[in-house]
């Protein structure tokens, strides 16, 4: 998983507003066939949010990839996300896509995303149909992350890496593709203003218990980039 920020308590950062003035992605554009066609067009495009902003390190960039897995359920597409375990040194308990650092044997970002997803949550490769990828996102820790978008066909069983992943859960794609749910947090850092997005979702986890999942930082930014891509 990719570190997304040095902010230790993002829920405490004030909300400046939402983007409710922007339209949601139309429902017909959020079907499996519509997404396949959208990515098939291969139009060059620039992301709204290319990265976290100011870098906190001068180390060499490290390439990585995450899987934006869109699960095909009876009521539409759902995004598969994970919650990190609480004992990890960095970003314990945070929500992220499955993914991680590229290795020498990975042929491309899709290979990285699929390998890391298999290691973290055990999603079977034969359930996954890669349909495209989004422009890279650069984190403050110099990870250059390529989001790889895929459709996932149930049924499947997950096998979580219990050291790194506390749980895997799904969020309806229409919820995430509606800017009414995109909250802007603004804070002051080193004399200037910075901001980040959050998309808190209240829903049932793998245990069936309803709770709030605070989706923010790089994960929310990449979802916002997907929104801009699909809203065209």
């Amino acid at each position: 998983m990719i570190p997304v920020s040095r902010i230790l308590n993002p829920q405490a950062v004030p909300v400046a507003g939402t983007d409710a003035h922007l339209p949601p992605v139309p429902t017909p554009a959020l079907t499996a066939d519509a997404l396949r066609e959208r990515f098939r067009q291969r139009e060059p495009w620039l992301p709204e949010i290319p990265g976290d902003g100011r870098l906190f390190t001068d180390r060499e960039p490290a390439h990585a990839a995450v899987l934006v897995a869109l699960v095909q359920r009876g009521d539409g597409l759902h995004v598969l996300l994970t919650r990190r375990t609480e004992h990890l040194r960095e970003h314990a308990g945070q929500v992220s896509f499955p993914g991680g650092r590229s290795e020498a044997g990975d042929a491309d970002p899709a290979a990285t995303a699929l390998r890391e997803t298999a290691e973290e949550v055990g999603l079977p490769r034969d359930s996954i149909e890669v349909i495209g990828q989004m422009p890279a996102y650069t984190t403050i820790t110099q990870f250059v992350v390529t989001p790889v978008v895929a459709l996932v066909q149930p049924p499947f069983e997950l096998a979580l890496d219990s050291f790194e992943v506390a749980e895997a859960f799904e969020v309806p794609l229409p919820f995430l593709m509606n800017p009414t749910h995109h909250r802007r947090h603004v804070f002051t850092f080193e004399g200037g203003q910075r901001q980040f997005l959050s998309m808190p979702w209240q829903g049932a986890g793998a245990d069936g218990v309803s709770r709030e999942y605070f989706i923010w930082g790089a994960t929310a930014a990449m979802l916002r980039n997907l929104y801009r891509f699909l809203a065209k």
Side-chain angles (χ1 to χ4, degrees), residues 1-198:
M1 295 181 185
I2 309 302
V4 295
S5 178
R6 296 300 189 193
I7 301 170
L8 299 179
N9 188 12
Q11 292 95 324
V13 178
V15 176
T18 73
D19 283 337
H21 62 286
L22 296 174
V25 176
T27 300
L30 296 178
T31 66
D33 285 342
L35 286 167
R36 288 189 187 98
E37 179 57 31
R38 183 72 182 94
F39 278 98
R40 195 177 293 127
Q41 294 171 10
R42 298 183 181 276
E43 298 176 3
W45 61 290
L46 295 175
E48 177 183 350
I49 310 173
D52 290 339
R54 180 182 180 275
L55 300 178
F56 282 174
T57 177
D58 58 359
R59 74 182 183 188
E60 288 296 312
H63 290 280
V66 295
L67 191 71
V68 183
L70 306 176
V71 183
Q72 302 178 74
R73 299 293 183 187
D75 61 347
L77 296 175
H78 292 237
V79 180
L80 177 67
L81 293 169
T82 65
R83 182 172 61 83
R84 292 165 64 85
T85 50
E86 297 291 345
H87 63 80
L88 295 175
R89 288 181 57 190
E90 290 190 322
H91 313 292
Q94 290 188 7
V95 172
S96 66
F97 298 111
R101 186 191 297 260
S102 299
E103 295 183 355
D106 295 336
D108 52 27
T112 298
L114 292 171
R115 175 183 53 75
E116 286 284 337
T117 298
E119 293 173 2
E120 290 183 7
V121 300
L123 186 63
R125 177 65 183 88
D126 58 7
S127 298
I128 304 171
E129 175 194 351
V130 174
I131 60 173
Q133 64 185 50
M134 298 193 295
Y137 182 94
T138 302
T139 72
I140 59 174
T141 48
Q142 280 282 50
F143 279 96
V144 182
V145 186
T146 299
V148 176
V149 182
L151 297 169
V152 180
Q153 181 63 57
F156 55 82
E157 290 189 12
L158 300 179
L160 306 186
D161 175 355
S162 60
F163 179 81
E164 190 170 358
V165 181
E167 67 173 313
F169 62 98
E170 297 178 12
V171 180
L173 182 61
F175 174 90
L176 297 169
M177 295 296 101
N178 186 343
T180 296
H181 305 132
H182 298 183
R183 307 194 312 182
R184 294 189 177 274
H185 299 251
V186 177
F187 63 102
T188 300
F189 181 78
E190 293 187 347
Q193 281 200 330
R194 294 186 64 193
Q195 67 175 353
F196 63 86
L197 288 175
S198 74

